[in-house]
Amino acid sequence: MQCKLTRLSLLISGLFMAGAPALAQTTTNVGTVTVQGGGGGSASAGTAAATGLIQAEDSPKARSSVNREYIEKQSPTSNPYQMINLLPGVNTYDNDGSGLFGGNIRVRGFNSDQLGFTINGAPVNDSGSFAVYPQQYTDPENLCDVFVTQGSTDTEAPHVGASGGNIGMAFCAPEDQQRIRVTNAFGSNSLWKRYVRFDSGKLLDNRFKFFISYSKTTADKFKGPGGAIKDHVDIGTNFDLGQGSFINANLLYNRQLNNNYRSLTKTQIAQLGRNADFGSIAPQHQPAVGGTTQNDTTYAPNVAANIAANGYYAYNLNPFENWLGTINAHFQLSPTASLDIDPYFWYGFGTGGNQLQTVREGGVGGASQVGGGAADINGDGDRLDTVYAYQGSRTRTYRPGVTFKFNQQLDNHRLLAGYWVERARHQQTGPFSRVDNNGNIANLWQDNSDLWLRNADGSILQNRDTMTVSTAQSIFLQDSISMMNDKLNVQVGGRYSSIDRDFTNYPSSGAANNASAGFYKVKKNYADFLPSLGVRFQLDDAQSVFFNAAKNFKAPGNFSYFGLLSGGAIVNGQLVGATQREVPVDKETSWNYDLGYRYNTEKWMASASLFYIDYHNRIASAYNPDTGNKTDYNVGDATSHGMELESGYAFTRNLSMYGSLSYIKSKMKQDLRNSSTQFLPTSGKEFPDTPNWLSGLSLQYQQDGWYVFGQAKYTGRRYTTLVNDDALGGYTLFNAGAGMTFASTTWLKKPTVRLNVYNLFDKQYLNLNGGSGSQFTTNAVAVNGIPGTDPSLYIGAPRTFTVTLTADF
């Protein structure tokens, strides 16, 4: 009964509470946002927008956002997923509460790899798989706006992997006055963040300004050994060219080393407890003896430590380094025409996964291998042994791109025309490095080939060696037509988007079969014309209605090109006689429809929308009869429909509230092929990890330099398998925060202290480990002769807190 009351109260609150006035915003923002930092008192106190969770939108599509008012009150280690958690349609989780270890997000049931993500207008989804890593983005102190377009991807958005909308982040502009801001934060699990930012103020006749910031953050995991170490740099510059023209340039650098959290099944939780994690005992090498077969996996100390089941925490790492440089050059050609040129460059390098692997000297099962198989690893003079080694998923990406946009006002028509292109080089390899009995790794970052294990012929031993060159582009045109004194706005747009995949598989020797052992190439093009129509009608000064219809598409990830060889045999270290199969997956598409209503006044702001999604060629994991294993396939069509409500309301000058409510019902239309003769009963079933109900609530009081707020997020019951034979119960998390800004002194300005508490009541809950929309467990219980598999789950983080001290000098 208590759960029902909690759910009902949140749903009612989400339905009736909310509000805020705000500025109309553009779609994909590539510049910086100018917002004066708040401290305790807020410039929007007494308005519906005081919480910073709702803005006045006039676009003819469903759209929500959070601004600086909200972001600056959150924990300084928060990632973007956490910042938008309360917005309608958003279902997200964080692995540990701090934001440093990542998590996952779904919007209207679309997974993160089906959503387009941008920072200052540049795409940051993985260029190969479209995955997203939120812990690698900008420091929250430098972030001013995060928006979500639920369902319909913006016409000019630089994406070819967004079938379910887009999410954008924008830097704050440099300050007009020179300052130094220093922040120190500490909290649960030995969390400590040090942050410093220098703003130059206006220079060069008040036409140029910049900021540069650096932060270092460390924290332990809340369960098991290990933690996170993060170094981050942000740089932002604004140069005013005069007469409405400007150039904004931004750079972010992130270097991070995380230990992973271990996911568990329900059976493992019952057997081992919720706090079970990776082991803390380093695997041992069996003493090497020439002419004798040794196997580290059966060595007595490793068996006693149950290394096979527990692994080793120090070999479950995610080292990653990335750079992103963006430029927004805006040229005002005339009072009615402008040109934007927005180049960017992304560099990423790192590894990850479970890096505790075994290497069989001479090859798997003693079979002939590429390069003659692994050389003598333990130095005993034979090639008979199975030895523990360190090997992860190594990726290096170079990704330049540019967007051109031309705007022209012609009478009542506002025309937008443009072109986007990028070329990403995405190298994925899997070399091996030695480990010793103390847990030391010869090459943790896998960036020194001199330290990698070799084959008998001296070539590099690795389980994959691929290069994906992706050339993506869009040409787009949009006309926004204002009629009836701007009471009626009609937006008609279209873009033609395409991506050319040029994939090369080089022979690799560490795989257990021949699927990657030979050289082959794949060249594929995926393209589609994506029309959109949006209509917004202003009923009066406060009320408006809108309708939107748009087509989106997503190209397959490059993992669909892996392992396309079958048959053949390795002769003299080379694969001969193999057959190359076709790529088993095509692009997926979706039509998104929205019908909405908005009400905006100073005291009360509300938005409501009904949506329908028609989804074709959904990409999911299915049986491949050519290989006898699971791979990505187009497994059929699906539909989703529902509603989203959000509202902000100012009770008084000091007390304000925000609420959101979402309902979604999804349906798969076809059974899933599990083998050449077997099908799983998925027709009529719902998408996993897509709760029917979501609701959020925030209540805030602020006065005279201090504030306090409380938040609640209800996540409903959701299935964990494609056949809906297992589910996770709903849960409600409560968060809280408070802050105070003290009087400035001659040398200390705006000294502020903040407290944030995550999971205030220490709720125990579980989340599905479903990092990709195509990586669901099919069935948990045996069905049609197909054995079940327990879904993999993450343990919800316990109560954590952060205390933040900030001051300007």
Side-chain angles (χ1 to χ4, degrees):
M1 179 62 70
Q2 181 61 41
C3 291
K4 294 181 179 179
L5 288 174
T6 300
R7 169 179 171 175
L8 181 61
S9 64
L10 279 173
L11 294 180
I12 293 175
S13 299
L15 180 60
F16 291 106
M17 303 298 178
L23 300 175
Q25 299 186 24
T26 58
T27 50
T28 304
N29 190 340
V30 299
T32 52
V33 178
T34 301
V35 173
Q36 297 298 323
S42 169
S44 60
T47 71
T51 60
L53 281 160
I54 189 169
Q55 322 300 318
E57 306 283 356
D58 70 350
S59 63
K61 64 178 67 175
R63 191 176 188 275
S64 304
S65 61
V66 299
N67 64 15
R68 188 67 198 153
E69 292 282 352
Y70 180 77
I71 295 171
E72 69 179 350
K73 294 183 176 71
Q74 307 311 301
S75 168
T77 62
S78 298
N79 65 52
Y81 288 177
Q82 295 171 300
M83 295 172 191
I84 60 176
N85 182 45
L86 296 180
L87 299 184
V90 175
N91 175 28
T92 182
Y93 70 85
D94 178 70
N95 282 342
D96 80 322
S98 73
L100 293 172
F101 292 86
N104 197 41
I105 189 171
R106 300 184 192 274
V107 178
R108 291 186 178 177
F110 289 100
N111 191 66
S112 57
D113 61 359
Q114 297 169 302
L115 304 168
F117 283 75
T118 59
I119 297 179
N120 300 322
V124 293
N125 296 73
D126 184 274
S127 65
S129 67
F130 305 115
V132 183
Y133 307 99
Q135 69 272 27
Q136 298 171 2
Y137 300 150
T138 178
D139 270 325
E141 292 89 344
N142 302 325
L143 195 59
C144 266
D145 179 71
V146 184
F147 71 83
V148 181
T149 301
Q150 296 103 332
S152 298
T153 304
D154 295 324
T155 299
E156 73 272 36
H159 304 301
V160 287
S163 52
N166 54 286
I167 296 174
M169 295 152 272
F171 274 18
C172 298
E175 296 288 322
D176 290 341
Q177 303 297 320
Q178 186 179 105
R179 75 169 190 189
I180 298 175
R181 172 161 290 185
V182 176
T183 295
N184 269 282
F186 62 91
S188 302
N189 306 312
S190 303
L191 183 144
W192 187 23
K193 177 174 182 177
R194 292 79 84 196
Y195 166 90
V196 60
R197 166 169 162 161
F198 170 74
D199 282 87
S200 68
K202 290 187 175 181
L203 305 170
L204 305 177
D205 294 328
N206 295 328
R207 301 180 67 171
F208 178 74
K209 56 183 179 178
F210 73 89
F211 80 81
I212 180 170
S213 72
Y214 167 75
S215 70
K216 187 176 186 69
T217 310
T218 57
D220 294 336
K221 292 163 54 180
F222 73 81
K223 65 165 188 168
I229 304 173
K230 177 178 179 177
D231 291 274
H232 192 92
V233 175
D234 285 331
I235 300 174
T237 66
N238 287 17
F239 186 43
D240 184 0
L241 301 176
Q243 299 181 335
S245 300
F246 58 83
I247 297 177
N248 297 336
N250 299 284
L251 176 69
L252 72 82
Y253 168 75
N254 193 83
R255 182 179 174 91
Q256 195 159 344
L257 178 60
N258 287 7
N259 291 99
N260 300 323
Y261 279 95
R262 180 183 176 183
S263 58
L264 302 168
T265 65
K266 290 181 179 179
T267 300
Q268 290 174 322
I269 293 172
Q271 294 174 345
L272 307 175
R274 299 173 62 88
N275 290 325
D277 203 74
F278 297 111
S280 58
I281 300 175
Q284 301 296 296
H285 292 303
Q286 188 169 5
V289 179
T292 303
T293 300
Q294 284 93 43
N295 189 332
D296 285 348
T297 63
T298 59
Y299 186 38
N302 296 328
V303 173
N306 200 11
I307 297 295
N310 296 331
Y312 180 48
Y313 83 96
Y315 301 159
N316 273 275
L317 299 168
N318 181 210
F320 206 88
E321 180 180 52
N322 51 279
W323 299 79
L324 175 63
T326 62
I327 296 176
N328 172 215
H330 177 82
F331 303 101
Q332 196 68 39
L333 306 178
S334 73
T336 60
S338 65
L339 174 67
D340 289 271
I341 304 175
D342 305 326
Y344 61 87
F345 180 80
W346 167 274
Y347 169 78
F349 172 78
T351 180
N354 180 358
Q355 291 109 336
L356 177 59
Q357 302 293 331
T358 57
V359 175
R360 169 65 188 267
E361 297 174 347
V364 177
S368 171
Q369 293 288 293
V370 172
D376 179 14
I377 298 173
N378 57 7
D380 64 356
D382 63 38
R383 298 174 65 207
L384 303 173
D385 310 319
T386 299
V387 183
Y388 276 131
Y390 173 89
Q391 184 270 327
S393 174
R394 181 182 184 269
T395 302
R396 188 191 301 273
T397 303
Y398 297 91
R399 187 180 186 182
V402 63
T403 301
F404 301 91
K405 292 190 295 185
F406 176 74
N407 286 276
Q408 175 72 60
Q409 186 75 41
L410 293 175
D411 194 21
N412 64 329
H413 295 262
R414 183 161 55 89
L415 299 174
L416 167 66
Y419 175 69
W420 162 69
V421 62
E422 73 166 25
R423 187 175 188 269
R425 291 177 55 84
H426 194 68
Q427 181 192 45
Q428 294 173 281
T429 56
F432 294 80
S433 298
R434 285 183 170 82
V435 293
D436 65 22
N437 287 344
N438 295 317
N440 298 309
I441 305 165
N443 188 213
L444 185 150
W445 279 81
Q446 294 186 322
D447 57 358
N448 186 350
S449 60
D450 292 338
L451 299 176
W452 298 345
L453 299 182
R454 300 282 168 165
N455 291 309
D457 66 356
S459 61
I460 296 171
L461 173 70
Q462 51 191 349
N463 75 336
R464 67 177 188 181
D465 186 4
T466 68
M467 173 66 76
T468 307
V469 180
S470 302
T471 304
Q473 54 189 326
S474 293
I475 184 169
F476 51 87
L477 178 65
Q478 180 175 284
D479 186 9
S480 184
I481 310 167
S482 176
M483 294 176 281
M484 303 172 61
N485 294 321
D486 203 33
K487 289 188 66 174
L488 175 63
N489 181 269
V490 178
Q491 193 176 91
V492 182
R495 63 185 170 112
Y496 182 80
S497 296
S498 69
I499 181 171
D500 292 306
R501 297 279 204 190
D502 188 346
F503 176 86
T504 304
N505 185 90
Y506 299 97
S508 53
S509 51
N513 53 56
N514 294 340
S516 299
F519 176 89
Y520 67 89
K521 293 180 70 70
V522 176
K523 291 188 176 182
K524 284 285 186 178
N525 170 266
Y526 305 93
D528 210 338
F529 176 70
L530 308 172
S532 64
L533 170 67
V535 180
R536 187 262 301 160
F537 185 75
Q538 200 72 33
L539 300 173
D540 55 33
D541 289 344
Q543 301 179 87
S544 64
V545 293
F546 65 89
F547 169 78
N548 182 72
K551 185 181 182 181
N552 302 325
F553 98 108
K554 177 191 174 184
N558 70 323
F559 282 109
S560 299
Y561 306 143
F562 281 53
L564 292 181
L565 297 180
S566 59
I570 297 176
V571 179
N572 296 325
Q574 294 185 343
L575 179 64
V576 294
T579 301
Q580 181 177 339
R581 301 181 306 277
E582 289 295 320
V583 177
V585 65
D586 202 353
K587 66 179 185 290
E588 63 183 23
T589 61
S590 66
W591 271 97
N592 292 264
Y593 303 90
D594 289 284
L595 178 64
Y597 167 83
R598 294 187 179 111
Y599 180 83
N600 294 327
T601 65
E602 186 173 2
K603 293 292 184 181
W604 186 25
M605 179 178 291
S607 176
S609 63
L610 301 174
F611 65 86
Y612 178 81
I613 304 168
D614 192 13
Y615 200 10
H616 296 281
N617 280 338
R618 182 176 65 89
I619 296 175
S621 182
Y623 179 79
N624 185 338
D626 295 317
T627 62
N629 57 19
K630 299 278 186 173
T631 188
D632 278 353
Y633 258 138
N634 297 113
V635 296
D637 300 340
T639 60
S640 295
H641 65 274
M643 68 170 184
E644 293 166 349
L645 307 173
E646 67 173 334
S647 175
Y649 187 77
F651 293 102
T652 68
R653 181 181 179 278
N654 309 108
L655 182 63
S656 55
M657 181 177 285
Y658 170 86
S660 67
L661 172 66
S662 306
Y663 172 80
I664 184 171
K665 189 73 171 179
S666 58
K667 183 179 180 180
M668 292 180 279
K669 292 185 175 181
Q670 283 129 1
D671 287 338
L672 177 67
R673 185 184 184 188
N674 187 71
S675 72
S676 58
T677 59
Q678 293 177 314
F679 288 82
L680 282 161
T682 56
S683 178
K685 302 299 172 60
E686 296 187 42
F687 284 122
D689 204 24
T690 305
N692 295 142
W693 291 100
L694 293 165
S695 186
L697 178 66
S698 179
L699 182 65
Q700 174 181 280
Y701 186 89
Q702 55 187 10
Q703 179 179 356
D704 299 331
W706 65 274
Y707 68 87
V708 61
F709 69 81
Q711 298 174 349
K713 176 66 182 283
Y714 172 77
T715 301
R717 182 177 181 270
R718 60 265 188 234
Y719 293 108
T720 62
T721 66
L722 286 168
V723 301
N724 293 178
D725 60 356
D726 184 73
L728 296 174
Y731 65 93
T732 302
L733 289 185
F734 292 86
N735 304 326
M740 176 172 285
T741 300
F742 299 91
S744 299
T745 66
T746 55
W747 60 278
L748 197 63
K749 300 175 183 178
K750 295 183 180 179
T752 303
V753 58
R754 292 189 173 94
L755 170 68
N756 293 90
V757 183
Y758 172 85
N759 194 1
L760 182 64
F761 299 113
D762 208 18
K763 175 73 174 180
Q764 291 190 353
Y765 61 100
L766 299 172
N767 282 306
L768 180 65
N769 177 16
S772 168
S774 62
Q775 292 178 353
F776 291 124
T777 300
T778 55
N779 54 302
V781 180
V783 58
N784 295 339
I786 303 168
T789 303
D790 285 343
S792 178
L793 310 171
Y794 279 117
I795 305 298
R799 177 172 51 241
T800 58
F801 75 90
T802 307
V803 176
T804 307
L805 307 173
T806 300
D808 295 345
F809 298 89

